[in-house]
């Protein structure tokens, strides 16, 4: 989704801003732009529709020299994808970039227009610019005008502001990610900001995460970032974190796509997880929460994280015998849920920045629940809001389609479940984690079989993924993965539900990817028979070397589940990941950055 990068300091500002935007490309965008002060002291805005390279080639011709710049990658929410709507938005006095949504933009725009103010784009962002400029002309005070403008906008936003007459950057946010960074050691100070710390890796050695409604002033003269509350008083409401500049940027290595690389990382990540929770902060966390009792557990997440939550729900319920409900964050936040103090709110998120999930965390915090998160990005908004964070240690996930994060979410969820049960989770699950790792490794060595199946089925009209009980979430996740990257219609269904409607879709151009484990074997088999009887193509992913499964299927991918008590859904899911990848490859889609999608969905 939209990305922000800003720089002020002693080097050519365009370079770190463009580099930062490039690192944020994985988040998804449809246009990009940059604003900087030119040598004549005027604000200049350059923006282009499409890929960042379009912007880069204009800048390569212009070769601007500047020490202050802000940049943005836009994922359209208000207004079409075009150059006018792209950010930054600017005039003679200010240039701004914005992430999020101004919910009362329409009303503000109407009243500003009634006062004679002019607008050029269809965006909500321009409302901020026009209002800010109007207030600044009245007061001549930048800080006050930004704060007053910010007070008038509703919704979750992060805004970064560049003024023509100052060599400073300003930023302010509400429930949207924003991070400021400082590089020490340079004579004149270098200050950065972004919507994602990944953009700043290698550039800064200290990060500052401002709280909501705190104005950040990045002043290279002072080589410092000042923070102010909404009354304009200096404040310390931010969190500081030292980050090593050694932190590395992800590369694809030998793989054609990040997604494939991330799929292949899973055996290693699975194996190393027990290590993280056997000592240090991981062990301390497990010791802290061991045996904790909650009356009810509410699991909340979106997309793949929600699917991981479904698997975790099964484990929590069967092990703890406590009531567990699971909600999509976008629904939970508006359905006025009944919440009590002695309940646990368990949030699951790779990025820790998903707007709906964060809104639910805010709601649960207000209601006094305990907040735990299963999250990948340390320091993310969700991480900072939660009482306890179960980091999934999956490393940076660049592919928009989540793979390794799903696996580690489930595994960490299981560690959490057994810890709450009062057990030594590493003792209970350690050997199964190792076994799973070996089985994923063995599965990856059969990748070519799935590639061949993908070639056979990629042109079919539609795909219905089915599974029962512990495999139902995998049917949902398998279908989501295929939709996301191959742009084909795919649905995940509980196998037992087929005859309640979707079986009407079955014909010889429909593929049923049927997950058949040893649990409920006969029942799932008969559901698959029903599809077969209606001439559907059958790909069975299930228990190995089974003659019944062999005879019913057009394609059969047998798996060795021996010894897996809790994690067989994870193993099946890796098959789904590989299959989606190769179907998408046959289709020739943009696998790592699928159309219309963003890596982290920071707007509602
Ligand atoms: O960062 P999060 O885990 O909170 O993201 C939630 C979803 O947006 C995410 O899982 C999305 O569904 C992925 N593209 C799935 O591959």
């Amino acid at each position: 989704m939209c990305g922000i990068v800003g720089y002020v300091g002693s080097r050519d500002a365009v370079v770190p801003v463009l580099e930062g935007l490039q690192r944020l490309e994985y988040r998804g965008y449809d246009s990009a732009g940059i604003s900087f002060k030119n040598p004549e002291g005027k604000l200049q805005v350059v923006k282009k529709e499409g890929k960042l390279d379009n912007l880069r080639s204009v800048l390569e011709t212009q070769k601007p020299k500047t020490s202050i710049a802000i940049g943005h990658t836009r994922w359209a929410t208000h207004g079409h994808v075009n150059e006018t709507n792209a950010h930054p938005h600017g005039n003679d006095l200010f240039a701004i970039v914005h992430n999020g949504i101004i919910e009362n933009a329409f009303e503000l725009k109407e009243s500003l227009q009634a006062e004679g103010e002019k607008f050029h784009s269809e965006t909500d962002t321009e409302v901020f610019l026009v209002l800010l400029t109007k207030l600044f002309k009245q007061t001549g005070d930048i800080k006050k005008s930004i704060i007053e403008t910010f007070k008038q906008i509703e919704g979750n936003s992060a805004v970064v502001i560049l003024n023509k007459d100052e060599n400073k950057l300003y930023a302010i946010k509400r429930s949207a990610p924003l991070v400021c960074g400082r590089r020490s050691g340079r004579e004149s100070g270098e200050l950065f900001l972004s919507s994602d710390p990944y953009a700043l890796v290698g550039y800064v050695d200290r990060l500052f995460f401002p709280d909501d409604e705190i104005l950040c002033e990045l002043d290279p003269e002072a080589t410092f970032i000042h923070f102010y509350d909404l009354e304009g008083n200096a404040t310390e409401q931010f969190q500081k974190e030292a980050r090593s500049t050694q932190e590395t940027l992800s590369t694809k290595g030998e793989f054609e796509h990040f997604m494939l690389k991330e799929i292949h990382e899973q055996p290693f990540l699975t194996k190393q997880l027990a290590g993280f929770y056997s000592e240090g902060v991981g062990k301390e966390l497990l010791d802290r929460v061991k045996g904790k009792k909650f009356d009810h557990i509410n699991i909340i997440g979106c997309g793949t994280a929600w699917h991981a939550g479904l698997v975790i729900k099964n484990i929590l319920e069967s092990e703890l015998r406590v009531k567990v409900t699971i909600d999509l964050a976008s629904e939970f936040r508006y359905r006025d849920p009944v919440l009590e103090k002695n309940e646990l709110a368990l949030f699951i998120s790779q990025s820790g920045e998903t707007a709906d999930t964060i809104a639910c965390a805010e709601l649960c915090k207000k209601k006094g629940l305990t907040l735990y998160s299963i999250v990948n990005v340390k320091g993310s908004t969700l991480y900072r809001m939660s009482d306890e964070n179960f980091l999934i240690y999956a490393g940076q996930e660049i592919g928009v389609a989540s793979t390794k994060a799903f696996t580690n979410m489930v595994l960490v969820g299981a560690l959490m479940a057994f810890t709450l049960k009062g057990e030594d989770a590493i003792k209970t699950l350690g050997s199964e984690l190792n076994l799973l790792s070996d089985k994923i490794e063995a599965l990856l060595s059969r990748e070519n079989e799935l590639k061949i199946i993908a070639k056979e089925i990629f042109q079919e009209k539609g795909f219905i993924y089915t599974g029962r009980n512990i495999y139902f979430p995998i049917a949902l996740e398998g279908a989501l993965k295929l939709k996301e990257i191959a742009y084909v219609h795919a649905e995940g269904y509980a196998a037992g539900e087929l005859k309640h409607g979707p079986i009407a879709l079955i014909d010889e151009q429909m593929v049923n990817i049927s997950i058949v484990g040893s649990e409920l074997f006969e029942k799932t088999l008969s559901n698959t028979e029903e599809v077969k009887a209606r001439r559907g193509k059958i790909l069975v992913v299930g228990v190995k070397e089974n003659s019944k499964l062999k005879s019913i299927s057009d394609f059969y991918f047998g798996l060795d589940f021996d010894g897996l008590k809790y994690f067989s859904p994870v193993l099946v899911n890796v098959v789904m990941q590989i299959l989606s990848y190769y179907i998408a490859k046959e289709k020739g889609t943009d696998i790592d950055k699928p159309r219309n999608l963003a890596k982290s969905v920071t707007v509602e």
Side-chain angles (χ1 to χ4, degrees), residues 302-305 348-352 354 400-402 409 480-481 484 601:
C302 301
T304 289
I348 308 181
S349 174
Q350 188 283 127
S351 62
T354 302
V400 165
S402 187
M409 282 168 181
L480 176 68
K481 217 69 349 177
E484 284 189 290
V601 182

Side-chain angles (χ1 to χ4, degrees), residues 471-483:
Y471 299 113
F472 170 48
I474 306 307
L476 295 176
E477 174 61 8
L480 176 68
K481 217 69 349 177
L482 190 66
K483 275 187 263 221

Side-chain angles (χ1 to χ4, degrees), residues 31-153:
S31 52
I34 187 166
S35 179
F36 50 87
K37 240 194 276 185
N38 69 18
E40 292 84 54
K42 290 199 171 129
L43 289 179
Q44 206 172 315
V45 175
V46 184
K47 38 197 192 177
K48 280 278 153 205
E49 198 181 316
K51 293 288 170 198
L52 194 60
D53 278 344
N54 301 348
L55 176 70
R56 197 190 300 278
S57 45
V58 179
L59 291 167
E60 269 163 15
T61 338
Q62 291 191 358
K63 297 199 182 1
K65 284 273 163 281
T66 182
S67 60
I68 184 163
I70 55 177
H72 190 262
T73 43
R74 174 177 187 247
W75 189 85
T77 57
H78 281 57
H80 295 94
V81 177
N82 59 35
E83 227 168 270
T84 314
N85 288 336
H87 298 212
H89 291 275
N91 54 29
D92 297 353
L93 293 171
F94 295 102
I96 69 168
V97 290
H98 166 228
N99 279 4
I101 292 180
I102 300 176
E103 288 173 356
N104 57 339
F106 183 77
E107 294 80 1
L108 289 173
K109 189 169 178 174
E110 266 195 341
S111 76
L112 286 164
Q113 279 173 326
E115 293 170 23
E117 300 289 350
K118 296 271 175 291
F119 286 81
H120 306 283
S121 76
E122 302 163 289
T123 63
D124 52 343
T125 305
E126 203 184 359
V127 170
F128 193 102
L129 175 73
V130 173
L131 185 56
L132 169 66
T133 310
K134 181 190 122 176
L135 294 176
F136 177 68
K137 282 182 182 163
Q138 288 166 0
T139 62
D141 185 323
I142 294 178
K143 283 205 280 269
K144 265 196 191 142
S145 312
I146 296 172
I147 289 174
E148 190 44 42
T149 308
F150 187 72
K151 280 182 181 168
Q152 292 195 35
I153 63 164

Side-chain angles (χ1 to χ4, degrees), residues 143-214:
K143 283 205 280 269
K144 265 196 191 142
S145 312
I146 296 172
I147 289 174
E148 190 44 42
T149 308
F150 187 72
K151 280 182 181 168
Q152 292 195 35
I153 63 164
E154 289 168 14
N156 301 336
S157 285
V159 193
V160 175
I161 301 121
L162 171 59
N163 171 256
K164 170 180 97 58
D165 296 314
E166 288 197 348
N167 197 40
K168 293 176 186 173
L169 292 175
Y170 293 93
I172 189 162
K173 64 113 182 172
R174 184 184 303 120
S175 291
L178 184 71
V179 56
C180 304
R182 191 180 67 176
R183 183 187 188 93
S184 45
R186 283 209 162 207
E187 273 171 33
S188 54
E190 287 192 284
L191 301 171
F192 299 74
L193 51 81
S194 178
S195 50
D196 183 337
Y198 185 55
L200 309 186
V201 172
Y203 281 115
V204 298
D205 46 26
R206 201 152 270 281
L207 293 174
F208 301 82
F209 294 93
D211 281 0
D212 277 355
E213 309 195 328
I214 296 296

